[in-house]
Amino acid sequence: GVVTSTEGGAGNTATAVLTVNTPSNLTLAKSGPATPVQVGTPFNYTIQLGNSGGTPSATSATVSEALPSGMVANSVTAGTGVSTVNCGTLPSAAGAILTCAMTLSAPLPANAPNGTAQFTINVTAGTYGVATNYASVDPAGGSSPPTPGSGCAPATSCGSATTTIIGAPTIGKSFSPASIPLNGISTLTFVITNPNATQGLSGVAFTDTFPADMKVAATPNASNTCGGTYAPVAGASSVALSNATLAANASRSSSRSSP
């Protein structure tokens, strides 16, 4: 208001500006491979941190990392903006929940985007299917991140990455009949199965070498529902399939006769 006095009358008014900064608020994003990965092949997840608050963060952060069933963490590597990261004893148990303590190279500035600080976790999946990996960070920079998962909150401090893990095709074979006289003929059938529910397989191939004294019959009577190339040769001591394809969850067969 206006300042006044009895003798001097009314004076001036004054204003002052007070800026109230919101506290730091750590945020998290997670990414993994953009393409499917073979079961048993190591790959990386990247965990990125930011700060959506109006105040720089501290120089420490704690991330909780929930590995999917059958997945093992092999190692961790500090990246941009991170001096050290420790996720406990590695390799981890399969499907473990890791607590990763981080030391940042410097405080995350106010309104810093995700990726201002980051680290990678190298993992190996032991089972095939669609794997979702969840992670979270303590938004206050403390050591108590929210439980990672589909219901994690606050959402900006939680992240996930979904990766398709591809299993190898399987093959079985059988004779019909299973017992024959010397120089008799039996049909050998191969059944190849794609165990993956959502991923087709291409370039499917096998070679089967026979025991001594077994060969492809003079009339091979070959059949093939796998596609690709399968052409048993009379008198040959092996057969091979190449460049076949299998749709998701499909089984296909190839057969030929042998004396």
Side-chain angles (χ1 to χ4, degrees):
V2 177
V3 61
T4 64
S5 68
T6 300
E7 292 79 11
N12 70 310
T13 61
T15 60
V17 176
L18 174 65
T19 300
V20 179
N21 291 317
T22 58
S24 63
N25 184 69
L26 297 185
T27 59
L28 181 146
K30 185 165 193 175
S31 62
T35 56
V37 178
Q38 289 183 4
V39 66
T41 300
F43 64 94
N44 289 334
Y45 285 116
T46 300
I47 295 177
Q48 300 180 323
L49 299 185
N51 176 17
S52 65
T55 303
S57 72
T59 56
S60 62
T62 302
V63 168
S64 183
E65 163 79 8
L67 298 171
S69 176
M71 186 174 289
V72 171
N74 304 311
S75 61
V76 292
T77 303
T80 302
V82 177
S83 296
T84 62
V85 55
N86 185 340
C87 295
T89 301
L90 299 177
S92 71
I97 296 179
L98 309 179
T99 299
C100 300
M102 304 167 58
T103 301
L104 304 178
S105 304
L108 297 178
N111 300 312
N114 288 329
T116 305
Q118 65 182 31
F119 69 96
T120 59
I121 300 180
N122 182 263
V123 301
T124 301
T127 56
Y128 60 86
V130 178
T132 301
N133 185 295
Y134 294 97
S136 62
V137 64
D138 188 331
S143 58
S144 301
T147 301
S150 58
C152 182
T156 55
S157 295
C158 309
S160 66
T162 298
T163 306
T164 298
I165 311 298
I166 303 176
T170 61
I171 188 169
K173 60 183 178 178
S174 61
F175 283 103
S176 179
S179 178
I180 59 173
L182 183 65
N183 294 321
I185 293 178
S186 178
T187 297
L188 176 59
T189 299
F190 303 90
V191 177
I192 305 173
T193 300
N194 176 4
N196 300 286
T198 61
Q199 178 69 44
L201 299 177
S202 61
V204 178
F206 74 85
T207 298
D208 189 57
T209 301
F210 309 146
D213 299 325
M214 180 180 290
K215 59 185 178 180
V216 177
T219 303
N221 290 324
S223 65
N224 175 29
T225 63
C226 300
T229 301
Y230 180 71
V233 176
S237 59
S238 66
V239 293
L241 172 73
S242 64
N243 203 33
T245 58
L246 285 175
N249 269 341
S251 292
R252 296 289 183 268
S253 64
S254 298
S255 64
R256 57 90 183 147
S257 298
S258 301

